[in-house]
Amino acid sequence: MLLKCPECQLQVSDKAAECPHCGYPMKPEAIKRKPRKKNNKRRSLPNGFGQISEIKNRNLRNPFRAMITVGKTETGRPICKPLKPVAYFPTYNDAYAALVAYNKNPYDLDSCMTAEELYEKWTNEYFNKISDSHQNTIKWSWKHCTELHHMLVIDIRARHIKGCIDNTPNPNLKNQIKSLWNAMLDYALEYELVDRNYARTFKLSEDIFKDIHNIRKEHIPFTDEEINILWSHIKDTPYVDMLLIQCYSGWRPQELCLLEIKNVDLENMTFTGGVKTKAGKKRLVPIHSRIAKLVENNYNKALDLNSDYLFNYINSGRHKSDIKFTHARYQTELTKICKKLGLNLEHRPHDGRVHFVTSAKKYDVDEYAIKYMVGHSISDITEKIYTKRETQWLKNEIEKIK
């Protein structure tokens, strides 16, 4: 049923509480609708501003995490990283205020990297270039710097590094810690994470180097009697052949372990390898006639094992896939050899290389031939640049060794 509005004289439904045309109350006694409840849902943050998430179901003092948008994936989804140096806050408003402050003055998040994060990033690249033993040295040094692990890299100064060095009584470890920070902060400087390498602003004292020299053991060449004992036990003592090959070729222990069969030329009796220095890498060494058969035997064993390496670590109880020779394994086997055959127990993996150089000088091998074969740098410009040596010359020189 339609009624006339007393105000505007237009027709209005008798069920209307007010005139839809002018708003005149047709039923003043009608109960007004209750106001809607306030929506407490937070508004979405602007694109690129960042994200705030609440970690629920855990009793945390700072449950709100602030994330910074650093880019987008190929599908357009945002890539986020935690805000640094602080990413967790007690309330939403605190996290929001931190994002507002960041967006007013954005900064490189990597500049707030901790020493521990830098170490992880650096070692992921650096460990691919160095030996297992060198990696272990770095890991051991890092363990003695625990007070710096959670410091921001930009806050680390010379006094902090000196504190780690002073806290250890071992002079070798002092030097290793210094070298560790030299290399780590060089990396940080290269990637503009810091503007100065404070590890290189100071030097270790002369007393430390004197202590290092005093405790350092000299390498011991094998005696003629020891070499004869080794030759007599090739068949009954594992890895004696590997040690003799080192004594007649001068490879560093790690170089010996990494010799690949593709670089062993049995036709021309040479092998190529080397690590560590520019002069030492990819160097050619003639295979001495006394070890030719030993090299050939190991070459054939490697083919049977389908291994890329000339020397392989075969031990009972060890998984067949775990046959790679390492410096540590070579040291273990050398110790066993010395104990079993009654050799000097002070011998170390580098002694085979020292024996080669000592024997070469004893039998008047040319000085430059020795340097070429062991991978030492040559300072003489004429010899280094203008003199081209033939492989046959190196073969003739190495055969002087008896």
Side-chain angles (χ1 to χ4, degrees), residues 114-116 118-119 122 138 141-154 156-158 160-165 173-189 194 196-200 202:
T114 64
E116 192 168 34
L118 174 64
Y119 174 80
W122 171 64
I138 290 175
S141 304
W142 177 246
K143 285 182 179 179
H144 287 78
C145 301
T146 51
E147 58 265 40
L148 304 188
H149 286 187
H150 301 294
M151 280 189 66
L152 297 181
V153 178
I154 57 175
I156 293 175
R157 297 293 183 266
H160 300 123
I161 301 169
K162 285 182 178 180
C164 295
I165 293 172
L173 186 55
K174 291 177 185 287
N175 190 36
Q176 290 163 5
I177 291 174
K178 175 69 162 62
S179 299
L180 166 68
W181 285 100
N182 282 349
M184 266 180 56
L185 293 181
D186 278 345
Y187 176 86
L189 191 63
V194 295
R196 188 177 185 186
N197 184 344
Y198 284 95
R200 294 195 180 277
F202 68 94

Short mmCIF file of all heavy atoms in Angstrom, two decimals, residues 114-116 118-119 122 138 141-154 156-158 160-165 173-189 194 196-200 202:
data_model
loop_
_atom_site.label_atom_id
_atom_site.label_comp_id
_atom_site.label_asym_id
_atom_site.label_seq_id
_atom_site.Cartn_x
_atom_site.Cartn_y
_atom_site.Cartn_z
N THR A 114 76.47 -10.07 9.45
CA THR A 114 77.28 -10.45 10.60
C THR A 114 78.54 -11.17 10.12
O THR A 114 78.60 -11.62 8.96
CB THR A 114 76.51 -11.39 11.55
OG1 THR A 114 76.23 -12.61 10.85
CG2 THR A 114 75.22 -10.73 12.01
N ALA A 115 79.51 -11.31 11.00
CA ALA A 115 80.75 -12.01 10.65
C ALA A 115 80.46 -13.46 10.28
O ALA A 115 81.08 -14.01 9.38
CB ALA A 115 81.74 -11.92 11.81
N GLU A 116 79.50 -14.06 10.97
CA GLU A 116 79.15 -15.45 10.69
C GLU A 116 78.56 -15.60 9.29
O GLU A 116 78.88 -16.54 8.56
CB GLU A 116 78.15 -15.95 11.73
CG GLU A 116 77.93 -17.44 11.71
CD GLU A 116 77.16 -17.92 12.93
OE1 GLU A 116 76.28 -17.17 13.42
OE2 GLU A 116 77.45 -19.03 13.40
N LEU A 118 79.16 -13.54 6.79
CA LEU A 118 80.27 -13.29 5.86
C LEU A 118 81.11 -14.55 5.71
O LEU A 118 81.53 -14.90 4.59
CB LEU A 118 81.13 -12.14 6.38
CG LEU A 118 82.42 -11.86 5.59
CD1 LEU A 118 82.11 -11.43 4.17
CD2 LEU A 118 83.26 -10.80 6.29
N TYR A 119 81.39 -15.23 6.81
CA TYR A 119 82.20 -16.46 6.78
C TYR A 119 81.54 -17.51 5.89
O TYR A 119 82.22 -18.15 5.06
CB TYR A 119 82.37 -16.99 8.20
CG TYR A 119 83.07 -18.33 8.29
CD1 TYR A 119 84.46 -18.43 8.22
CD2 TYR A 119 82.34 -19.50 8.46
CE1 TYR A 119 85.10 -19.65 8.30
CE2 TYR A 119 82.97 -20.72 8.54
CZ TYR A 119 84.35 -20.80 8.47
OH TYR A 119 84.97 -22.02 8.55
N TRP A 122 81.79 -16.36 2.20
CA TRP A 122 83.17 -16.43 1.71
C TRP A 122 83.63 -17.88 1.52
O TRP A 122 84.19 -18.23 0.48
CB TRP A 122 84.09 -15.70 2.69
CG TRP A 122 85.55 -15.88 2.41
CD1 TRP A 122 86.23 -15.47 1.30
CD2 TRP A 122 86.51 -16.51 3.27
NE1 TRP A 122 87.56 -15.81 1.42
CE2 TRP A 122 87.75 -16.45 2.61
CE3 TRP A 122 86.42 -17.10 4.52
CZ2 TRP A 122 88.92 -16.97 3.17
CZ3 TRP A 122 87.57 -17.62 5.09
CH2 TRP A 122 88.80 -17.57 4.42
N ILE A 138 91.30 -23.40 8.33
CA ILE A 138 90.41 -22.23 8.40
C ILE A 138 89.29 -22.48 9.40
O ILE A 138 88.96 -21.60 10.21
CB ILE A 138 89.86 -21.92 7.00
CG1 ILE A 138 90.98 -21.38 6.09
CG2 ILE A 138 88.71 -20.92 7.08
CD1 ILE A 138 90.57 -21.16 4.66
N SER A 141 90.63 -22.17 12.91
CA SER A 141 90.88 -20.77 13.26
C SER A 141 89.57 -20.05 13.57
O SER A 141 89.48 -19.25 14.51
CB SER A 141 91.61 -20.06 12.11
OG SER A 141 92.81 -20.72 11.78
N TRP A 142 88.54 -20.33 12.77
CA TRP A 142 87.23 -19.68 12.95
C TRP A 142 86.63 -20.03 14.31
O TRP A 142 85.98 -19.21 14.94
CB TRP A 142 86.31 -20.10 11.81
CG TRP A 142 84.92 -19.57 11.91
CD1 TRP A 142 83.77 -20.27 12.10
CD2 TRP A 142 84.51 -18.19 11.82
NE1 TRP A 142 82.68 -19.44 12.13
CE2 TRP A 142 83.10 -18.15 11.96
CE3 TRP A 142 85.19 -16.99 11.63
CZ2 TRP A 142 82.38 -16.98 11.92
CZ3 TRP A 142 84.47 -15.81 11.59
CH2 TRP A 142 83.08 -15.81 11.73
N LYS A 143 86.84 -21.26 14.77
CA LYS A 143 86.29 -21.68 16.06
C LYS A 143 86.88 -20.88 17.22
O LYS A 143 86.27 -20.79 18.29
CB LYS A 143 86.57 -23.16 16.28
CG LYS A 143 85.69 -24.09 15.46
CD LYS A 143 85.99 -25.55 15.77
CE LYS A 143 85.09 -26.47 14.95
NZ LYS A 143 85.38 -27.89 15.22
N HIS A 144 88.05 -20.28 17.01
CA HIS A 144 88.69 -19.50 18.07
C HIS A 144 88.34 -18.01 17.97
O HIS A 144 89.01 -17.17 18.58
CB HIS A 144 90.21 -19.69 18.01
CG HIS A 144 90.65 -21.04 18.50
ND1 HIS A 144 90.55 -22.18 17.74
CD2 HIS A 144 91.17 -21.44 19.71
CE1 HIS A 144 91.00 -23.21 18.43
NE2 HIS A 144 91.39 -22.79 19.61
N CYS A 145 87.30 -17.70 17.20
CA CYS A 145 86.87 -16.30 17.06
C CYS A 145 85.38 -16.16 17.41
O CYS A 145 84.68 -15.32 16.84
CB CYS A 145 87.10 -15.82 15.62
SG CYS A 145 88.81 -15.91 15.06
N THR A 146 84.91 -16.98 18.35
CA THR A 146 83.48 -17.03 18.66
C THR A 146 82.93 -15.67 19.12
O THR A 146 81.77 -15.35 18.87
CB THR A 146 83.19 -18.07 19.75
OG1 THR A 146 84.08 -17.84 20.86
CG2 THR A 146 83.43 -19.48 19.23
N GLU A 147 83.77 -14.85 19.79
CA GLU A 147 83.27 -13.56 20.27
C GLU A 147 82.95 -12.59 19.14
O GLU A 147 82.28 -11.57 19.35
CB GLU A 147 84.27 -12.92 21.24
CG GLU A 147 85.65 -12.68 20.67
CD GLU A 147 86.61 -13.82 20.98
OE1 GLU A 147 86.20 -14.99 20.91
OE2 GLU A 147 87.78 -13.54 21.28
N LEU A 148 83.41 -12.89 17.91
CA LEU A 148 83.13 -12.00 16.78
C LEU A 148 82.04 -12.54 15.86
O LEU A 148 81.61 -11.83 14.94
CB LEU A 148 84.41 -11.78 15.96
CG LEU A 148 85.65 -11.23 16.68
CD1 LEU A 148 86.72 -10.90 15.68
CD2 LEU A 148 85.29 -10.01 17.50
N HIS A 149 81.60 -13.77 16.07
CA HIS A 149 80.68 -14.42 15.14
C HIS A 149 79.41 -13.60 14.89
O HIS A 149 78.92 -13.53 13.77
CB HIS A 149 80.30 -15.81 15.65
CG HIS A 149 81.40 -16.81 15.47
ND1 HIS A 149 81.24 -18.16 15.73
CD2 HIS A 149 82.69 -16.66 15.08
CE1 HIS A 149 82.38 -18.78 15.49
NE2 HIS A 149 83.27 -17.90 15.10
N HIS A 150 78.85 -12.98 15.93
CA HIS A 150 77.57 -12.28 15.80
C HIS A 150 77.73 -10.75 15.70
O HIS A 150 76.72 -10.04 15.73
CB HIS A 150 76.65 -12.65 16.95
CG HIS A 150 76.37 -14.13 17.04
ND1 HIS A 150 75.67 -14.79 16.06
CD2 HIS A 150 76.73 -15.07 17.95
CE1 HIS A 150 75.59 -16.08 16.37
NE2 HIS A 150 76.23 -16.27 17.52
N MET A 151 78.96 -10.30 15.58
CA MET A 151 79.18 -8.86 15.38
C MET A 151 78.90 -8.50 13.93
O MET A 151 79.11 -9.29 13.01
CB MET A 151 80.62 -8.48 15.72
CG MET A 151 80.91 -8.32 17.19
SD MET A 151 82.57 -7.61 17.48
CE MET A 151 82.36 -5.94 16.78
N LEU A 152 78.42 -7.28 13.70
CA LEU A 152 78.27 -6.79 12.33
C LEU A 152 79.65 -6.57 11.74
O LEU A 152 80.56 -6.05 12.41
CB LEU A 152 77.48 -5.49 12.31
CG LEU A 152 76.03 -5.56 12.81
CD1 LEU A 152 75.38 -4.18 12.70
CD2 LEU A 152 75.23 -6.59 12.03
N VAL A 153 79.81 -6.94 10.49
CA VAL A 153 81.12 -6.81 9.83
C VAL A 153 81.59 -5.36 9.82
O VAL A 153 82.78 -5.08 10.01
CB VAL A 153 81.04 -7.36 8.39
CG1 VAL A 153 82.39 -7.19 7.68
CG2 VAL A 153 80.64 -8.82 8.40
N ILE A 154 80.65 -4.43 9.63
CA ILE A 154 81.03 -3.02 9.56
C ILE A 154 81.51 -2.48 10.90
O ILE A 154 82.12 -1.42 10.96
CB ILE A 154 79.85 -2.16 9.03
CG1 ILE A 154 78.61 -2.34 9.92
CG2 ILE A 154 79.56 -2.47 7.59
CD1 ILE A 154 77.45 -1.45 9.53
N ILE A 156 83.51 -4.36 13.03
CA ILE A 156 84.74 -5.05 13.46
C ILE A 156 85.95 -4.17 13.20
O ILE A 156 86.14 -3.63 12.10
CB ILE A 156 84.87 -6.40 12.73
CG1 ILE A 156 83.76 -7.34 13.18
CG2 ILE A 156 86.23 -7.04 13.00
CD1 ILE A 156 83.72 -8.67 12.44
N ARG A 157 86.77 -4.00 14.22
CA ARG A 157 87.98 -3.19 14.14
C ARG A 157 89.20 -4.03 14.50
O ARG A 157 89.08 -5.18 14.93
CB ARG A 157 87.87 -1.98 15.11
CG ARG A 157 86.74 -1.02 14.78
CD ARG A 157 86.99 -0.31 13.45
NE ARG A 157 85.95 0.68 13.14
CZ ARG A 157 84.88 0.44 12.41
NH1 ARG A 157 84.69 -0.79 11.93
NH2 ARG A 157 84.00 1.38 12.17
N ALA A 158 90.36 -3.43 14.33
CA ALA A 158 91.61 -4.14 14.58
C ALA A 158 91.67 -4.68 16.01
O ALA A 158 92.16 -5.80 16.24
CB ALA A 158 92.79 -3.22 14.31
N HIS A 160 89.36 -5.82 17.88
CA HIS A 160 88.57 -7.03 18.05
C HIS A 160 89.34 -8.26 17.56
O HIS A 160 89.34 -9.31 18.19
CB HIS A 160 87.24 -6.91 17.30
CG HIS A 160 86.40 -5.77 17.76
ND1 HIS A 160 85.96 -4.78 16.90
CD2 HIS A 160 85.92 -5.43 18.98
CE1 HIS A 160 85.24 -3.90 17.58
NE2 HIS A 160 85.21 -4.28 18.84
N ILE A 161 89.98 -8.11 16.39
CA ILE A 161 90.76 -9.22 15.83
C ILE A 161 91.97 -9.51 16.71
O ILE A 161 92.31 -10.67 16.97
CB ILE A 161 91.20 -8.87 14.39
CG1 ILE A 161 89.96 -8.60 13.52
CG2 ILE A 161 92.04 -9.99 13.79
CD1 ILE A 161 90.27 -8.00 12.17
N LYS A 162 92.62 -8.45 17.21
CA LYS A 162 93.76 -8.64 18.11
C LYS A 162 93.34 -9.38 19.38
O LYS A 162 94.11 -10.18 19.93
CB LYS A 162 94.36 -7.28 18.48
CG LYS A 162 95.18 -6.63 17.38
CD LYS A 162 95.76 -5.31 17.86
CE LYS A 162 96.63 -4.66 16.81
NZ LYS A 162 97.19 -3.37 17.27
N GLY A 163 92.10 -9.12 19.83
CA GLY A 163 91.60 -9.80 21.03
C GLY A 163 91.55 -11.31 20.82
O GLY A 163 91.92 -12.08 21.72
N CYS A 164 91.09 -11.74 19.64
CA CYS A 164 91.05 -13.18 19.34
C CYS A 164 92.46 -13.76 19.29
O CYS A 164 92.71 -14.86 19.77
CB CYS A 164 90.35 -13.41 18.00
SG CYS A 164 88.62 -12.97 17.97
N ILE A 165 93.37 -12.99 18.68
CA ILE A 165 94.76 -13.46 18.56
C ILE A 165 95.41 -13.58 19.94
O ILE A 165 96.10 -14.56 20.24
CB ILE A 165 95.56 -12.50 17.66
CG1 ILE A 165 95.04 -12.57 16.21
CG2 ILE A 165 97.05 -12.80 17.71
CD1 ILE A 165 95.61 -11.54 15.28
N LEU A 173 98.54 -20.72 15.61
CA LEU A 173 97.12 -20.36 15.53
C LEU A 173 96.95 -18.84 15.46
O LEU A 173 96.04 -18.35 14.78
CB LEU A 173 96.37 -20.93 16.73
CG LEU A 173 94.85 -20.77 16.74
CD1 LEU A 173 94.24 -21.37 15.48
CD2 LEU A 173 94.25 -21.43 17.97
N LYS A 174 97.79 -18.11 16.15
CA LYS A 174 97.75 -16.63 16.06
C LYS A 174 97.92 -16.19 14.61
O LYS A 174 97.19 -15.33 14.10
CB LYS A 174 98.87 -16.02 16.92
CG LYS A 174 98.70 -16.17 18.42
CD LYS A 174 99.90 -15.59 19.15
CE LYS A 174 99.84 -15.82 20.65
NZ LYS A 174 98.85 -14.97 21.32
N ASN A 175 98.89 -16.79 13.94
CA ASN A 175 99.17 -16.45 12.55
C ASN A 175 98.01 -16.87 11.64
O ASN A 175 97.65 -16.15 10.70
CB ASN A 175 100.46 -17.12 12.10
CG ASN A 175 100.95 -16.62 10.75
OD1 ASN A 175 100.81 -15.44 10.42
ND2 ASN A 175 101.52 -17.50 9.97
N GLN A 176 97.41 -18.02 11.92
CA GLN A 176 96.29 -18.51 11.12
C GLN A 176 95.05 -17.63 11.27
O GLN A 176 94.33 -17.38 10.31
CB GLN A 176 95.98 -19.95 11.51
CG GLN A 176 97.05 -20.94 11.08
CD GLN A 176 96.95 -22.27 11.81
OE1 GLN A 176 96.03 -22.50 12.59
NE2 GLN A 176 97.91 -23.15 11.57
N ILE A 177 94.80 -17.16 12.50
CA ILE A 177 93.66 -16.26 12.73
C ILE A 177 93.86 -14.95 11.98
O ILE A 177 92.93 -14.42 11.35
CB ILE A 177 93.48 -16.00 14.23
CG1 ILE A 177 93.00 -17.28 14.94
CG2 ILE A 177 92.48 -14.87 14.48
CD1 ILE A 177 92.93 -17.17 16.44
N LYS A 178 95.08 -14.42 12.02
CA LYS A 178 95.39 -13.19 11.29
C LYS A 178 95.16 -13.39 9.79
O LYS A 178 94.55 -12.54 9.11
CB LYS A 178 96.85 -12.79 11.56
CG LYS A 178 97.36 -11.58 10.77
CD LYS A 178 96.71 -10.31 11.24
CE LYS A 178 97.51 -9.09 10.80
NZ LYS A 178 97.62 -8.93 9.34
N SER A 179 95.63 -14.51 9.25
CA SER A 179 95.45 -14.81 7.82
C SER A 179 93.98 -14.96 7.46
O SER A 179 93.54 -14.53 6.39
CB SER A 179 96.22 -16.09 7.45
OG SER A 179 97.60 -15.95 7.68
N LEU A 180 93.22 -15.60 8.36
CA LEU A 180 91.78 -15.78 8.13
C LEU A 180 91.08 -14.44 7.96
O LEU A 180 90.33 -14.23 6.99
CB LEU A 180 91.18 -16.55 9.31
CG LEU A 180 89.65 -16.54 9.42
CD1 LEU A 180 89.03 -17.34 8.27
CD2 LEU A 180 89.19 -17.11 10.76
N TRP A 181 91.34 -13.51 8.88
CA TRP A 181 90.67 -12.21 8.80
C TRP A 181 91.20 -11.35 7.65
O TRP A 181 90.45 -10.57 7.06
CB TRP A 181 90.77 -11.48 10.13
CG TRP A 181 89.85 -12.07 11.14
CD1 TRP A 181 90.15 -12.95 12.13
CD2 TRP A 181 88.43 -11.87 11.22
NE1 TRP A 181 89.03 -13.31 12.84
CE2 TRP A 181 87.96 -12.66 12.30
CE3 TRP A 181 87.52 -11.12 10.51
CZ2 TRP A 181 86.62 -12.71 12.66
CZ3 TRP A 181 86.19 -11.15 10.87
CH2 TRP A 181 85.74 -11.93 11.93
N ASN A 182 92.47 -11.50 7.32
CA ASN A 182 93.00 -10.82 6.14
C ASN A 182 92.17 -11.20 4.91
O ASN A 182 91.72 -10.34 4.15
CB ASN A 182 94.46 -11.23 5.90
CG ASN A 182 95.43 -10.52 6.81
OD1 ASN A 182 95.08 -9.58 7.52
ND2 ASN A 182 96.66 -10.98 6.83
N ALA A 183 91.98 -12.51 4.71
CA ALA A 183 91.28 -13.00 3.52
C ALA A 183 89.79 -12.68 3.57
O ALA A 183 89.20 -12.26 2.56
CB ALA A 183 91.50 -14.51 3.39
N MET A 184 89.15 -12.86 4.73
CA MET A 184 87.71 -12.61 4.83
C MET A 184 87.37 -11.15 4.58
O MET A 184 86.42 -10.83 3.85
CB MET A 184 87.21 -13.02 6.23
CG MET A 184 86.67 -14.43 6.30
SD MET A 184 86.10 -14.90 7.95
CE MET A 184 84.90 -13.64 8.31
N LEU A 185 88.14 -10.26 5.18
CA LEU A 185 87.84 -8.83 5.01
C LEU A 185 88.29 -8.31 3.64
O LEU A 185 87.76 -7.30 3.16
CB LEU A 185 88.46 -8.02 6.14
CG LEU A 185 87.84 -8.30 7.52
CD1 LEU A 185 88.51 -7.44 8.60
CD2 LEU A 185 86.33 -8.03 7.51
N ASP A 186 89.27 -8.97 3.01
CA ASP A 186 89.58 -8.66 1.61
C ASP A 186 88.36 -8.95 0.74
O ASP A 186 88.02 -8.19 -0.16
CB ASP A 186 90.78 -9.50 1.12
CG ASP A 186 92.11 -8.91 1.53
OD1 ASP A 186 92.14 -7.73 1.93
OD2 ASP A 186 93.12 -9.63 1.45
N TYR A 187 87.71 -10.07 1.02
CA TYR A 187 86.50 -10.46 0.29
C TYR A 187 85.39 -9.43 0.54
O TYR A 187 84.69 -9.01 -0.38
CB TYR A 187 86.07 -11.85 0.75
CG TYR A 187 84.78 -12.36 0.16
CD1 TYR A 187 84.77 -13.01 -1.07
CD2 TYR A 187 83.57 -12.19 0.82
CE1 TYR A 187 83.59 -13.49 -1.61
CE2 TYR A 187 82.38 -12.67 0.29
CZ TYR A 187 82.40 -13.31 -0.94
OH TYR A 187 81.22 -13.78 -1.48
N ALA A 188 85.22 -9.04 1.79
CA ALA A 188 84.19 -8.05 2.14
C ALA A 188 84.47 -6.71 1.46
O ALA A 188 83.54 -6.03 1.00
CB ALA A 188 84.14 -7.86 3.65
N LEU A 189 85.74 -6.35 1.38
CA LEU A 189 86.12 -5.09 0.73
C LEU A 189 85.84 -5.16 -0.77
O LEU A 189 85.37 -4.19 -1.38
CB LEU A 189 87.61 -4.82 0.99
CG LEU A 189 88.14 -3.44 0.61
CD1 LEU A 189 87.47 -2.36 1.44
CD2 LEU A 189 89.65 -3.39 0.83
N VAL A 194 82.45 -3.51 3.34
CA VAL A 194 83.18 -2.63 4.25
C VAL A 194 84.00 -1.66 3.41
O VAL A 194 84.22 -1.88 2.22
CB VAL A 194 84.13 -3.43 5.19
CG1 VAL A 194 83.34 -4.33 6.12
CG2 VAL A 194 85.13 -4.24 4.39
N ARG A 196 87.07 -0.64 4.57
CA ARG A 196 88.46 -0.78 4.97
C ARG A 196 88.68 -2.15 5.60
O ARG A 196 87.82 -2.66 6.33
CB ARG A 196 88.83 0.32 5.97
CG ARG A 196 90.32 0.37 6.29
CD ARG A 196 90.62 1.51 7.22
NE ARG A 196 92.04 1.66 7.47
CZ ARG A 196 92.57 2.50 8.34
NH1 ARG A 196 91.77 3.32 9.03
NH2 ARG A 196 93.87 2.57 8.51
N ASN A 197 89.83 -2.75 5.31
CA ASN A 197 90.19 -4.04 5.92
C ASN A 197 91.06 -3.76 7.14
O ASN A 197 92.26 -3.53 7.03
CB ASN A 197 90.94 -4.91 4.91
CG ASN A 197 91.25 -6.29 5.47
OD1 ASN A 197 91.19 -6.52 6.68
ND2 ASN A 197 91.59 -7.22 4.60
N TYR A 198 90.45 -3.81 8.32
CA TYR A 198 91.17 -3.48 9.55
C TYR A 198 92.15 -4.57 9.96
O TYR A 198 93.04 -4.32 10.78
CB TYR A 198 90.19 -3.20 10.69
CG TYR A 198 89.53 -1.84 10.57
CD1 TYR A 198 88.28 -1.71 9.97
CD2 TYR A 198 90.16 -0.70 11.04
CE1 TYR A 198 87.68 -0.46 9.84
CE2 TYR A 198 89.57 0.55 10.92
CZ TYR A 198 88.33 0.66 10.32
OH TYR A 198 87.74 1.90 10.19
N ALA A 199 92.02 -5.78 9.39
CA ALA A 199 92.96 -6.85 9.71
C ALA A 199 94.34 -6.55 9.15
O ALA A 199 95.36 -7.03 9.66
CB ALA A 199 92.45 -8.18 9.17
N ARG A 200 94.38 -5.74 8.09
CA ARG A 200 95.66 -5.42 7.46
C ARG A 200 96.26 -4.10 7.97
O ARG A 200 97.25 -3.62 7.43
CB ARG A 200 95.49 -5.36 5.94
CG ARG A 200 95.14 -6.72 5.33
CD ARG A 200 95.33 -6.73 3.83
NE ARG A 200 95.00 -8.01 3.24
CZ ARG A 200 95.81 -9.06 3.17
NH1 ARG A 200 97.03 -8.97 3.67
NH2 ARG A 200 95.42 -10.19 2.61
N PHE A 202 97.47 -3.83 10.95
CA PHE A 202 98.49 -4.15 11.96
C PHE A 202 99.23 -5.42 11.56
O PHE A 202 98.76 -6.20 10.72
CB PHE A 202 97.85 -4.33 13.34
CG PHE A 202 96.97 -5.55 13.47
CD1 PHE A 202 97.47 -6.76 13.95
CD2 PHE A 202 95.63 -5.49 13.11
CE1 PHE A 202 96.66 -7.87 14.06
CE2 PHE A 202 94.81 -6.60 13.22
CZ PHE A 202 95.33 -7.80 13.70
#
